[in-house]
Amino acid sequence: MTETAEATSAAADGKIVCQIDGVFVHSIQAHIKKNHPDWTIERYQKEWPGEPILSPIAVELKAKRDA
């Protein structure tokens, strides 16, 4: 599978890409906590301002949980 095809299928799953390592995830914070312990969510957002930190699915689940 090509990178474009992989990106398309991952995007179809509603995931977002981690700018550190290119892995598709639902939560950047959970991913960096587990896989990049030298990073914080604040550092990530400073390095890549405007990049999402939660997938649309994660945002929806969070909203339901917080309601």
Side-chain angles (χ1 to χ4, degrees), residues 16-19 28 41 44-45 47-54:
I16 56 174
V17 67
C18 172
Q19 297 299 316
I28 295 295
I41 196 65
Y44 185 92
Q45 290 178 302
E47 192 74 27
W48 293 285
E51 288 295 322
I53 59 170
L54 292 173

Side-chain angles (χ1 to χ4, degrees), residues 4-17 24 56-57:
T4 304
E6 289 173 3
T8 302
S9 66
D13 289 345
K15 294 180 180 178
I16 56 174
V17 67
F24 286 90
I57 292 170

